[in-house]
Amino acid sequence: MIRVAVAGPRGRMGAMAVETLVTERDMLLVGVLDRKMAEHSATLGGKVPIFTDMATLAEESKPDVLVELTTHESVFRNTRDAIQEGIRPVVGTSGLTAQQISLLTELCREKQIGCILAPNFSVGAALMMKFSAMAAKLMPEAEIIELHHDGKKDAPSGTAELTARMMAESTGAAGKPAAGEEDENSGHGNRVAGIPVHSIRLPGLLSHQEVLFGGDGQLLTIRHDSFSRQSYMTGIKLAVREVMNRTGLISGLDKIIG
C-alpha cells in the first residue's frame, strides 16, 4: 500500500486528485498539506488529516509520496522539504527554475529517493512531446503555440518549455537560435531552447498545445487538447506508482511511459 499525501487540496487539480487517489486499492491518502484550510477544519471530509507544515505531516502520517499541486510560489519549498523528509515528490506544479531543479536533483541524489516533475500529467500530452521530439530531427523549423485558461499565471507553460527543450535535445540543432537570441521576447514569441513559443490565455480554454513544423511545400501539426482535468488523473496515478521504484529526479511524464 502506497501512503500518499496531497499538497494543494483546495485547487481544482488538487481536489480531483484527492477524489481519485482515495478510490485506488493500492494507495492510501494519509494527509493533505494546506496552511489555510487548517484554519477552518482539522480534517478533510472528516477523515483525512490536514497539516500546515511538512515536518508534522511526515512525522504523524508518514507518507511515501507527496503529490504537489500548489502554486509556483510554494512548489520549490514543498518539494525540497518533502525530499529532506524522505518523501518522494510527484510534482505537477510548474514554475521551478533551472537552478531550483538542479538543487532538487542533487538533494534526490543525496537522499537516494525518486522525484518526478511532470508539467502535464496527461498521457496524450506526453505522447505529443515525444512525437514532437521525433519530428524535430527531420523538420527542425518549428514553432509552438500553447493555449490555456485565463487563470494560468506562468507563460510559457511548463509543457511548452519541456516540449521545446526535448525538441532541441533530440538533434542538438532543432530551432538553434542566433547569438544572444536565446529565451528573448520577439515578434516570434518567447524563445525556449531557440524555439519560438506563443502563449495564449483566454476564458473557455483549459490546456491545449500544438507544434507546427514547416518544410518545403508542407506543414506538419502535432496537437493535444485537454478538455477536462480528468485527463491528468491517469498520469498522476502512474507517477505515484513509478516514483516508488525510481531513484533521482525525472523530468517529464514521457520518461516513465516508455
Side-chain angles (χ1 to χ4, degrees):
M1 185 73 72
I2 305 173
R3 300 174 65 85
V4 186
V6 174
R10 283 183 297 112
R12 283 174 284 188
M13 270 283 286
M16 185 171 289
V18 166
E19 293 177 4
T20 298
L21 294 172
V22 296
T23 66
E24 294 302 299
R25 294 183 178 181
D26 62 338
M27 299 178 194
L28 178 65
L29 186 65
V30 297
V32 297
L33 184 68
D34 191 314
R35 293 168 177 80
K36 294 183 178 180
M37 186 182 285
E39 298 173 359
H40 308 289
S41 172
T43 61
L44 182 67
K47 297 179 180 179
V48 182
I50 299 168
F51 297 92
T52 59
D53 65 271
M54 193 70 68
T56 306
L57 170 63
E59 181 181 357
E60 296 188 10
S61 286
K62 297 178 173 56
D64 300 308
V65 177
L66 175 76
V67 178
E68 215 294 336
L69 300 169
T70 60
T71 64
H72 67 278
E73 294 92 354
S74 303
V75 58
F76 175 69
R77 176 179 59 179
N78 288 342
T79 305
R80 178 200 61 197
D81 291 352
I83 297 171
Q84 289 175 334
E85 295 289 346
I87 304 169
R88 297 164 175 82
V90 168
V91 183
T93 309
S94 57
L96 289 168
T97 65
Q99 181 180 17
Q100 289 172 335
I101 292 174
S102 178
L103 291 171
L104 294 174
T105 300
E106 181 59 32
L107 193 55
C108 283
R109 186 179 298 114
E110 292 175 5
K111 295 292 185 178
Q112 286 296 293
I113 62 174
C115 171
I116 295 176
L117 306 182
N120 194 319
F121 280 115
S122 166
V123 172
L127 291 171
M128 175 265 297
M129 289 185 272
K130 288 176 73 74
F131 297 156
S132 295
M134 292 169 60
K137 294 179 181 180
L138 297 175
M139 301 182 72
E141 297 297 326
E143 301 200 11
I144 298 172
I145 303 173
E146 56 97 352
L147 309 91
H148 285 81
H149 57 87
D150 56 345
K152 185 171 178 61
K153 297 179 180 179
D154 57 319
S157 68
T159 301
E161 289 192 348
L162 182 56
T163 304
R165 298 193 189 285
M166 287 174 62
M167 290 166 59
E169 289 169 6
S170 70
T171 63
K176 189 174 181 180
E181 195 176 29
E182 177 76 26
D183 294 335
E184 290 185 358
N185 294 335
S186 72
H188 289 281
N190 293 299
R191 287 187 176 268
V192 179
I195 298 172
V197 180
H198 309 267
S199 300
I200 296 173
R201 300 290 178 267
L202 288 172
L205 298 173
L206 180 59
S207 176
H208 317 266
Q209 179 171 300
E210 61 182 18
V211 187
L212 291 84
F213 298 86
D216 293 338
Q218 61 181 317
L219 175 70
L220 170 65
T221 302
I222 301 175
R223 181 178 175 110
H224 177 263
D225 298 276
S226 284
F227 302 109
S228 165
R229 288 176 175 82
Q230 192 64 46
S231 65
Y232 307 129
M233 296 303 111
T234 298
I236 288 178
K237 293 184 289 184
L238 174 63
V240 168
R241 294 183 177 108
E242 282 292 322
V243 78
M244 294 295 295
N245 303 313
R246 304 283 182 137
T247 301
L249 187 143
I250 298 169
S251 183
L253 194 67
D254 62 288
K255 305 296 193 306
I256 64 174
I257 63 174

